[in-house]
Amino acid sequence: MLDSHFDRLTLAQQELVRAAATAMETAYNPYSHFYVGCALRLSDGTVITGSNVENAAYGSTICAERMTIGRANAMGRRDIVALAVMGRGENFMPNEAKITGPCGSCRQMIYEASQIAGVDIEILLAVPQLTRTIITSIEEMLPLPFGPVELNVDISRYRPR
Ligand SMILES: [Zn+2]
């Protein structure tokens, strides 16, 4: 886990963080008023974005990360190599550099995606002010994980071609 500054990221990492920032503003969040944006990168460089979509039946709410993985899957893409997340409250303080990390359910979903892709997906957690980015990976964020491989499920037909 590396605590870095936006300026020290690679251009590809910066692009992914900026895409998450743009997606964050599309959040449908009438209940929590919390904005989360996610951007994932595929092996050919394609970037796919998503944001949180809430629902009056609170349990039906979907996080930005799972929404984005679902979008990629619907596009026939499971070759995820990196994923950026950014979050903010409705009235965040400009000088408050608070990192938003994926919830437990999203970590589990990202882990499954990583086993399908055969990649320890890089995760970038950036603050809206772009002053701070944590660079980590799903295997680091979800120790002692449980996925299709642990379940001895044959995932070969779902792997990216
Ligand atoms: Zn989540």
Side-chain angles (χ1 to χ4, degrees), residues 7-33:
D7 296 341
R8 285 195 290 272
L9 302 180
T10 67
L11 287 178
Q13 288 172 326
Q14 289 186 0
E15 182 195 27
L16 206 60
V17 168
R18 287 195 192 282
T22 302
M24 179 174 72
E25 300 307 323
T26 70
Y28 174 70
N29 57 3
Y31 309 103
S32 74
H33 307 291

Side-chain angles (χ1 to χ4, degrees), residues 69-137:
I69 291 170
R71 281 191 76 190
N73 186 70
M75 293 164 69
R77 300 299 297 268
R78 300 192 183 107
D79 53 328
I80 302 169
V81 296
L83 182 147
V85 180
M86 184 183 290
R88 69 170 177 86
E90 190 157 46
N91 302 306
F92 76 108
M93 296 289 141
N95 56 358
E96 188 186 349
K98 229 173 168 184
I99 293 281
T100 299
C103 77
S105 294
C106 287
R107 290 178 199 211
Q108 182 65 31
M109 192 98 166
I110 296 165
Y111 182 70
E112 180 123 356
S114 78
Q115 285 200 336
I116 299 295
V119 172
D120 181 15
I121 296 173
E122 179 183 70
I123 298 185
L124 308 169
L125 307 175
V127 297
Q129 298 85 347
L130 297 181
T131 48
R132 189 178 170 217
T133 303
I134 288 179
I135 305 168
T136 179
S137 75

